[in-house]
Amino acid sequence: MCGIVGYIGFRDAYPIVIKGLHRLEYRGYDSAGVALLDETSNLNIYKKAGKVADLEGFIEGRDHSGTIGMGHTRWATHGAPNDRNSHPHQSGDEKLAIIHNGIIENYGPLKEELISRGHVFKSDTDTEVLIHLIEDIRQEAEIDLQKAVREALKQVIGAYAIVIMSKEDPEMLIAARKGSPMVIGVGKNEYFIASDATPIVEYTKNVIYLDDNEIAYLKADELVIRSIDNEVKTPYVQQLEIKLEMLEKGGYDHFMLKEIYEQPRSIGDCMRGRIYPLEGKVKLGGIKEYTEKFKNAHRIIIVACGTSWHAGLVGEYLIEEYARIPVEVEYASEFRYRNPIITENDIVIAISQSGETADTMAAIEMAKAKGATIFGICNVVGSSIPRLSDAGIYTHAGPEIGVASTKAFTAQVTALTLMAFYMAEKKGTIAQTKLIALLSELERIPSLVERALQSDGLIREISEKFKDSRNALFLGRGSGFPVALEGALKLKEISYIHAEGYPAAEMKHGPIALIDEQMPVIVIATKNSSYEKVISNIQEVKARKGVVIAIVTEGDTEVVRMADYSIEIPSADEAFLPLLATIPLQLLSYHIAVLRGCNVDQPRNLAKSVTVE
Ligand code: M6R
């Protein structure tokens, strides 16, 4: 939530900062701003409600010189998304500027205290309070900026990733983090700062992930990192794995469509080097050390949010089915505020695309404190959740830019499938012949996903019929139920059509009252153990004049006869149903949203990584 970017070096900062903001826009897109220090230490600040492109238009023709700069793209928390609340914010004397991602929770009392000391605020944000606090401490104690920043951060409760510029220290940027991500790109006589590596990758592959409670002091030719208690830290420089083309649309109209089409590759990448069908083995380096722990686990608790939570529900189905370990799936946001019973024999699996979701991180911290072993399934390498976890695996889906999660979901499901099979083999809860057969089929899933994508044209035609719907119901049974939930979430978040996902059999306990000739009902009706039962559910819908769009197995005739529209997916073992049945639902929501003229990649009110609770 909110993207921040900074540059200090020998190049013009503005083009780097503005391009960085475009790359980070998926993190927040209700307003944007930049601050630039020119050669004579003039601090030029430009900020605007709206998109980064609006800001760019506003800056055109104005002075944007300087080799030190920073920028911010906002997802509003405190204060409406308007020009005034946009970042950067300034100190009262206008010598300091700050950009911030996160929330200063105790901003209220701090603000009151500062007002009583004569500070005047121009915005409604928590961020402005922090820069006034730094100014106040600096003036009061007559200390240098570095010390004032440290002292101010000690008074702050909450999460932050900040960058500070000063007219009086014009050769330095100060960056700090606690609970919000921050990456430093290391160049030759230049440094880059950003919320994630996407603005940095085209300039350098060498990066440092700042840790919580660390403050970086950056000059063009020097980087010093210290703890908040002023101990010097030795930075660990890592190599980025992402490539520039992964951050471009590559000819597609939207990132979401590109990411949907990338799934044969991303699913393949997630399983690469991890499955050995001929030997009937799954190798997961990240779990190896914890194999005994998994074998003896009394329970697995999966914590996640949104789409990742849906992947967790698929994981529950797979782990219980194959590894016979009881699984509970929890919304991280609820779990963290309960007082759940957790023992040292429990394993908590945290699933997160971004690896930065605040609620999931808080759930991990709570479970850790109660003695559980934490296992992370994340996509973004180097993000916070892998670092908080005892062990884990990366999903290797590659950067996901569209706010609606697509390839990250199927990669998470793939990772959970691998874990279920791994544990089943180690525990001896699956016959070797069965595992060999399943792994051989899993290896073919990328090509089956490729085939599922071939229904795109048909799905677009079907979408035309439903683009004006006001509601939609998604039904599925077994592991088709989380797929239904995910289909409903995709539709509502990008097309703003109200949609519900339901277990098909639950429909008659309430939602059936909603069905009439206006109600599209999307049913996962593939040939698996619940096929006959789903047919009955379709009949119940048809008897009430509902319009059925069925996701069916290739060659099906029975459901096809009953349904108004049918979309085929290739036949596969029931274990892989979620990987295949999700594809048409992603395409359906995509086309409906495009036909409705919605901003598919940046739906209203949303942000890609939810780093506030
Ligand atoms: O980065 P995470 O996987 O932790 O994010 C969790 C949710 O915020 C995310 O899945 C969200 O629901 C997406 N908008 C779904 O498309």
Side-chain angles (χ1 to χ4, degrees):
M1 235 142 214
C2 299
I4 62 181
V5 59
Y7 175 79
I8 185 161
F10 54 89
R11 310 185 209 208
D12 243 4
Y14 176 68
I16 296 170
V17 168
I18 204 80
K19 200 166 187 187
L21 289 184
H22 277 295
R23 293 229 191 276
L24 289 173
E25 200 166 18
Y26 70 94
R27 298 180 67 92
Y29 33 84
D30 55 42
S31 53
V34 298
L36 299 146
L37 261 176
D38 72 14
E39 271 181 3
T40 52
S41 300
N42 270 327
L43 188 54
N44 287 316
I45 295 190
Y46 305 109
K47 50 193 203 170
K48 267 254 148 280
K51 303 275 182 172
V52 175
D54 300 321
L55 174 73
E56 222 178 335
F58 176 67
I59 295 175
E60 214 175 292
R62 297 170 197 250
D63 178 12
H64 50 68
S65 59
T67 54
I68 306 177
M70 62 186 190
H72 185 271
T73 176
R74 180 168 187 247
W75 186 88
T77 56
H78 295 62
N82 55 29
D83 294 354
R84 200 165 53 83
N85 290 327
S86 310
H87 298 214
H89 291 284
Q90 285 182 276
S91 53
D93 62 9
E94 300 194 341
K95 289 181 181 162
L96 302 173
I98 188 171
I99 51 173
H100 167 219
N101 170 26
I103 290 185
I104 309 299
E105 288 170 15
N106 57 337
Y107 85 103
L110 289 173
K111 189 169 181 175
E112 270 175 39
E113 168 69 19
L114 288 163
I115 289 172
S116 74
R117 294 165 62 78
H119 287 259
V120 177
F121 290 89
K122 293 182 180 151
S123 78
D124 310 314
T125 64
D126 50 341
T127 307
E128 194 186 7
V129 175
L130 178 54
I131 199 68
H132 278 252
L133 179 65
I134 294 167
E135 175 189 25
D136 191 80
I137 292 173
R138 190 180 185 186
Q139 284 168 356
E140 181 71 13
E142 293 184 15
I143 52 176
D144 65 27
L145 178 63
Q146 308 190 15
K147 189 150 189 232
V149 170
R150 279 200 305 276
E151 293 309 313
L153 292 180
K154 283 182 192 165
Q155 295 187 32
V156 153
I157 300 171
Y160 54 78
I162 53 166
V163 185
I164 293 168
M165 275 167 92
S166 163
K167 282 170 84 142
E168 290 180 341
D169 303 82
E171 289 178 356
M172 184 169 60
L173 285 177
I174 300 181
R177 78 157 265 178
K178 184 183 175 198
S180 294
M182 178 157 280
V183 191
I184 296 173
V186 182
K188 199 163 181 300
N189 292 325
E190 58 180 350
Y191 289 97
F192 306 81
I193 311 167
S195 301
D196 63 41
T198 55
I200 296 175
V201 65
E202 65 188 282
Y203 307 104
T204 176
K205 293 259 175 192
N206 299 325
V207 294
I208 296 161
Y209 292 93
L210 212 59
D211 272 326
D212 275 352
N213 294 313
E214 286 186 347
I215 306 177
Y217 306 96
L218 302 111
K219 294 185 174 171
D221 55 358
E222 184 189 70
L223 167 68
V224 177
I225 299 178
R226 290 175 182 268
S227 73
I228 199 164
D229 295 318
N230 210 23
E231 284 163 37
V232 175
K233 298 280 184 166
T234 313
Y236 168 52
V237 182
Q238 302 184 35
Q239 289 287 304
L240 281 178
E241 282 175 16
I242 51 174
K243 298 191 182 90
L244 196 54
E245 59 267 26
M246 291 174 167
L247 309 174
E248 312 281 356
K249 282 192 201 145
Y252 288 90
D253 287 344
H254 299 96
F255 279 110
M256 182 181 177
L257 189 62
K258 177 189 175 217
E259 287 156 9
I260 291 173
Y261 269 87
E262 275 177 346
Q263 289 175 106
R265 198 266 313 142
S266 52
I267 293 171
D269 283 354
C270 183
M271 62 174 98
R272 178 155 308 115
R274 291 171 168 167
I275 61 166
Y276 297 84
L278 296 177
E279 298 167 41
K281 287 237 173 304
V282 176
K283 295 185 185 166
L284 292 175
I287 298 193
K288 211 169 154 205
E289 225 183 292
Y290 287 81
T291 303
E292 284 308 305
K293 193 102 202 165
F294 269 101
K295 273 169 79 173
N296 301 321
H298 290 183
R299 185 173 58 147
I300 290 176
I301 305 167
I302 297 180
V303 293
C305 303
T307 286
S308 299
W309 185 78
H310 298 154
L313 291 177
V314 177
E316 174 184 33
Y317 170 86
L318 292 167
I319 295 168
E320 291 197 340
E321 172 74 19
Y322 295 104
R324 309 300 298 150
I325 304 172
V327 179
E328 286 168 24
V329 188
E330 300 268 0
Y331 280 118
S333 53
E334 289 295 318
F335 183 74
R336 61 179 288 197
Y337 287 114
R338 287 214 324 268
N339 186 12
I341 299 160
I342 300 172
T343 72
E344 288 176 4
N345 296 316
D346 291 330
I347 292 182
V348 168
I349 300 180
I351 308 174
S352 174
Q353 186 287 129
S354 61
E356 302 290 350
T357 300
D359 285 321
T360 309
M361 283 167 63
I364 292 175
E365 271 156 8
M366 191 251 265
K368 226 177 175 176
K370 288 177 184 272
T373 301
I374 313 293
F375 196 84
I377 297 181
C378 293
N379 190 36
V380 177
V381 176
S383 55
S384 299
I385 290 177
R387 289 191 289 159
L388 275 179
S389 306
D390 296 301
I393 52 180
Y394 282 117
T395 51
H396 297 308
E400 190 179 66
I401 312 287
V403 165
S405 194
T406 52
K407 64 173 180 173
F409 173 74
T410 47
Q412 289 165 342
V413 170
T414 306
L416 287 158
T417 309
L418 297 175
M419 281 186 66
F421 291 166
Y422 178 87
M423 290 185 262
E425 194 248 320
K426 298 295 174 208
K427 288 189 75 195
T429 49
I430 191 167
Q432 187 69 357
T433 45
K434 173 79 179 163
L435 185 56
I436 289 174
L438 283 170
L439 291 177
S440 309
E441 196 162 341
L442 180 58
E443 206 174 30
R444 289 195 307 118
I445 291 297
S447 61
L448 299 189
V449 169
E450 195 88 63
R451 263 182 33 216
L453 287 165
Q454 287 167 10
S455 299
D456 194 5
L458 167 69
I459 295 169
R460 196 185 177 287
E461 281 168 30
I462 296 173
S463 303
E464 291 273 1
K465 317 264 180 220
F466 297 99
K467 68 178 185 345
D468 297 319
S469 298
R470 301 192 57 193
N471 298 289
L473 202 55
F474 288 72
L475 303 177
R477 298 180 84 121
S479 63
F481 165 52
V483 173
L485 286 175
E486 177 57 11
L489 177 62
K490 284 294 86 88
L491 187 66
K492 67 185 135 193
E493 70 181 333
I494 62 167
S495 74
Y496 319 137
I497 293 174
H498 170 244
E500 297 275 356
Y502 249 86
E506 276 294 301
M507 183 186 57
K508 56 187 169 296
H509 297 287
I512 200 163
L514 295 169
I515 291 173
D516 59 17
E517 57 279 7
Q518 305 296 323
M519 176 66 99
V521 185
I522 298 97
V523 189
I524 319 298
T526 50
K527 286 213 169 124
N528 56 41
S529 54
S530 47
Y531 181 66
E532 302 298 337
K533 306 267 178 219
V534 172
I535 288 181
S536 307
N537 299 135
I538 293 176
Q539 267 157 351
E540 289 157 11
V541 174
K542 287 309 303 170
R544 285 152 187 92
K545 299 198 171 66
V547 187
V548 171
I549 305 162
I551 309 301
V552 300
T553 305
E554 257 169 12
D556 182 295
T557 50
E558 206 173 343
V559 173
V560 170
R561 241 192 338 266
M562 294 162 63
D564 298 273
Y565 304 91
S566 300
I567 304 165
E568 289 190 338
I569 58 170
S571 167
D573 189 281
E574 195 160 350
F576 310 120
L577 158 74
L579 289 173
L580 297 170
T582 300
I583 307 297
L585 303 191
Q586 293 171 344
L587 287 167
L588 189 70
S589 60
Y590 170 77
H591 287 302
I592 290 178
V594 170
L595 290 165
R596 287 166 72 90
C598 298
N599 187 338
V600 170
D601 283 335
Q602 293 172 354
R604 70 183 179 206
N605 304 339
L606 290 175
K608 184 71 183 165
S609 40
V610 184
T611 55
V612 295
E613 66 169 292

